[in-house]
Amino acid sequence: MKEMIPMLKEYAEKLQSLAVFRGILKEKTTAKLLKFLISPTPESYGGFVSGLYEHGDSLTDFLTEIVTEDENPYIKRISERREVPPEIDAAARRELAFLQELSQLTSEEAWAASGEGAPFARWSVHETDFLETYRERVSALHTRGFGIFAKYHAFSFKDGCVVPIKNPDGQKLSQLTGYGLEREKVIANTMALLRDKPAQNVLLYGDAGTGKSSTVKAIVNEYRDAGLRLIELTKAQLGELPAVTEKIAANPLKFIIFIDDISFSADDDNFSALKAVLEGGAAAKTSNTVIYCTSNRRHLVRETFSSRQGDEVHASDTREEQISLSERFGLKVAFLKPNKDTYLQIVEKLALEYGVEVTPDLLTRAEAYALRRSGRSGRAARHFIELEAGKTSD
């Protein structure tokens, strides 16, 4: 035990002195590890192992994960294609060498400094090359990302910060039914973005329940490993678009800024914010970003009869500006309510997916269900089949 404590103390001092990878100290399990290294007791040992088990049973894998996902000055410079000063590069190498050494600390060695006998809880270690692993991560920045963008693929924007959505909608393209031609247009535009080709801002408009939002989310889920990320904003946050684009402008990944179910009143201040972006004003999108909006309206500004009778001298010009907002999207894709045959095809596909037997009676009841609701749609079909699947499982 006495021989082990100086080594653990040295580990603690080196961990506390990290500069390039200092961000890993904010991770709660790393903080528990540091607490143990400073004061190796059975209590601090158990506290650290408990935290480690939330990630797995390997100390090596845990340290590898937090190091490769760390957002630090070294990785930021590389992602922004800026030169890395020699001292920063050397510091990164030394710190990686230390973290590799720390990752080989066994539970038996650690326990020997904190208690007697054999530990109840153990962890595993394995040989690894932190420098080579980090080089591989750097070479894959355009698809893997760094920091929170390496760990998550869907985000919101709150208090001036990009915040991960930890449990995003898991919708897959293979689960979507109908609207294949419409969806292919959006996918093709997204692929252009991923391939550094000109990509358009997209308006997905049409009837409720036709899969507009699901299409966007499923595309992001499908191509997340190709470097695609989603940042979802509300209409009220459109004024923050410049802040969002500034934060991701130098990021090597590709981003869809997603505004769902959007429409405006004639005097809505958010109208100008979106118009500025679409026209390429001061808040214009960067080359790694596109804006995807969904709406139940083709013309995004709600117009009333009373608005046509105002006292504005050039009222027709104002109305033209308002109703032409949708024309500023480079790509507009219509998702309209399906006819009866298409609707029943969607029902049949969903029935197979959910293990529900397709019978003439089922299709008749599916049609009746849609007519009792707001009409035929992919959403109505899914709700009907989910109800039928629930009956089957009883």
Side-chain angles (χ1 to χ4, degrees), residues 75-311:
I75 201 72
K76 282 183 177 180
R77 282 180 173 271
I78 293 176
S79 71
E80 295 168 3
R81 295 180 173 84
R82 291 192 293 156
E83 182 181 355
V84 179
E87 283 303 324
I88 295 180
D89 182 69
R93 290 171 178 271
R94 287 192 292 268
E95 290 182 9
L96 286 169
F98 157 65
L99 290 166
Q100 177 175 322
E101 180 183 353
L102 179 60
S103 77
Q104 302 304 299
L105 178 67
T106 68
S107 49
E108 288 76 17
E109 291 173 333
W111 180 258
S114 61
E116 300 293 337
F120 285 124
R122 297 176 173 84
W123 64 76
S124 63
V125 299
H126 60 84
E127 292 187 6
T128 189
D129 187 332
F130 269 53
L131 183 59
E132 182 59 29
T133 299
Y134 203 72
R135 282 175 176 166
E136 291 175 0
R137 174 54 65 90
V138 167
S139 67
L141 272 180
H142 66 291
T143 57
R144 296 290 298 276
F146 64 91
I148 58 172
F149 298 110
K151 191 170 185 178
Y152 303 98
H153 71 281
F155 304 85
S156 59
F157 195 69
K158 184 178 181 181
D159 298 328
C161 297
V162 177
V163 180
I165 299 173
K166 296 184 178 180
N167 296 293
D169 189 336
Q171 185 76 67
K172 298 179 181 179
L173 284 175
S174 60
Q175 296 174 320
L176 301 180
T177 54
Y179 304 96
L181 294 177
E182 292 84 351
R183 201 165 287 119
E184 282 302 320
K185 294 177 183 178
V186 186
I187 293 173
N189 189 70
T190 307
M191 294 305 297
L193 174 70
L194 290 170
R195 294 168 180 164
D196 293 319
K197 304 294 183 182
Q200 304 298 319
N201 295 319
V202 181
L203 173 64
L204 298 83
Y205 70 92
D207 298 298
T210 50
K212 302 181 295 295
S213 301
S214 295
T215 291
V216 177
K217 294 174 181 178
I219 287 173
V220 175
N221 290 336
E222 186 78 16
Y223 296 104
R224 57 180 295 184
D225 291 339
L228 185 63
R229 301 292 185 267
L230 178 143
I231 300 177
E232 185 167 4
L233 301 182
T234 65
K235 186 185 76 169
Q237 293 179 303
L238 285 173
E240 298 187 84
L241 268 170
V244 175
T245 55
E246 181 181 355
K247 286 184 177 296
I248 60 177
N251 198 299
L253 298 173
K254 307 298 182 184
F255 293 87
I256 292 174
I257 296 179
F258 179 48
I259 305 105
D260 195 19
D261 195 19
I262 193 170
S263 65
F264 301 98
S265 59
D267 58 352
D268 197 327
D269 291 338
N270 294 303
F271 172 90
S272 298
L274 181 58
K275 179 174 174 286
V277 175
L278 298 177
E279 290 185 335
K285 71 181 182 68
T286 57
S287 60
N288 67 337
T289 306
V290 289
I291 298 171
Y292 285 8
C293 293
T294 69
S295 178
N296 293 341
R297 308 170 60 92
R298 185 181 188 280
H299 297 298
L300 301 180
V301 181
R302 296 189 297 272
E303 186 181 18
T304 64
F305 284 108
S306 61
S307 68
R308 290 176 175 267
Q309 301 171 356
D311 58 0

